[in-house]
Amino acid sequence: MKKFIFAIFISTLVLSACTEEASTNIIENEDIEGLISSTLENAEKYDVSRFEEFELENVIDGDTIRIKYNGSSEKVRFLLVDTPETNHETLGEQPYGPQAKEFTKQLLAGQDTVYLEFDVSYRDKYKRLLAYIYTKEGISVQEQLLKHGLARVAYL
């Protein structure tokens, strides 16, 4: 049921992104610091005590991080969102890819751990873990990427 409600929330964000007002949410690198500050103050917070906690190693791009999982280093792909590429073998760097990566990096800055909520499929065809990602404050990284126009809904 939670996944259904989350999908409806994401769909609502996508529809609002189609309006002229929401299209101004796409940000430049210099705006990210202020946006992070606002996000930390105003974002909806979830109870992370029901999610699994893992050590955060680094941010790979806007929708992928690396964590310590069962003693080894593993990539985690964010469920239900897709951000522009930053270093794709055929697509190269896409518009707003660096901004999406920087947003995720700054949102997770200072976090030793992240909280993951797994869905029924733990891995994708590239063997990456698949999860919803939350900060220690309970902020959904996926929701914030969508809200600020740095990701699109994908993989429904």
Side-chain angles (χ1 to χ4, degrees):
M1 181 66 167
K2 180 183 187 259
K3 306 297 185 269
F4 177 73
I5 292 170
F6 187 71
I8 290 173
F9 171 77
I10 290 173
S11 298
T12 304
L13 285 175
V14 169
L15 290 175
S16 69
C18 294
T19 66
E20 187 174 319
E21 180 181 323
S23 68
T24 62
N25 281 344
I26 295 181
I27 57 173
E28 298 298 328
N29 274 339
E30 59 270 8
D31 299 328
I32 292 176
E33 190 173 307
L35 189 59
I36 293 296
S37 208
S38 172
T39 296
L40 292 174
E41 290 176 25
N42 301 314
E44 181 176 354
K45 312 271 189 319
Y46 295 88
D47 177 12
V48 294
S49 66
R50 54 198 179 108
F51 306 136
E52 295 181 56
E53 183 178 5
F54 296 95
E55 180 184 336
L56 174 65
E57 292 185 334
N58 67 308
V59 173
I60 295 171
D61 63 17
D63 57 19
T64 310
I65 59 174
R66 186 173 291 280
I67 64 165
K68 194 63 97 172
Y69 181 80
N70 292 336
S72 60
S73 182
E74 294 263 5
K75 286 183 181 179
V76 180
R77 176 71 169 73
F78 298 4
L79 274 169
L80 295 180
V81 299
D82 185 38
T83 61
E85 300 296 336
T86 56
N87 191 23
H88 193 272
E89 57 211 29
T90 57
L91 300 173
E93 183 179 286
Q94 295 179 310
Y96 297 103
Q99 289 88 341
K101 179 179 180 177
E102 186 61 25
F103 180 85
T104 299
K105 200 175 207 176
Q106 285 195 31
L107 187 58
L108 296 175
Q111 307 266 327
D112 295 331
T113 60
V114 288
Y115 293 83
L116 274 55
E117 179 181 16
F118 294 102
D119 203 2
V120 269
S121 295
Y122 267 74
R123 295 190 184 270
D124 65 7
K125 64 182 180 181
Y126 303 108
K127 309 243 189 287
R128 299 174 297 192
L129 292 166
L130 299 169
Y132 299 98
I133 313 301
Y134 300 88
T135 67
K136 64 184 172 189
E137 298 84 10
I139 297 170
S140 166
V141 178
Q142 281 100 319
E143 283 182 20
Q144 296 309 308
L145 284 164
L146 289 166
K147 180 178 179 183
H148 298 297
L150 293 167
R152 67 182 178 96
V153 175
Y155 312 110
L156 288 175

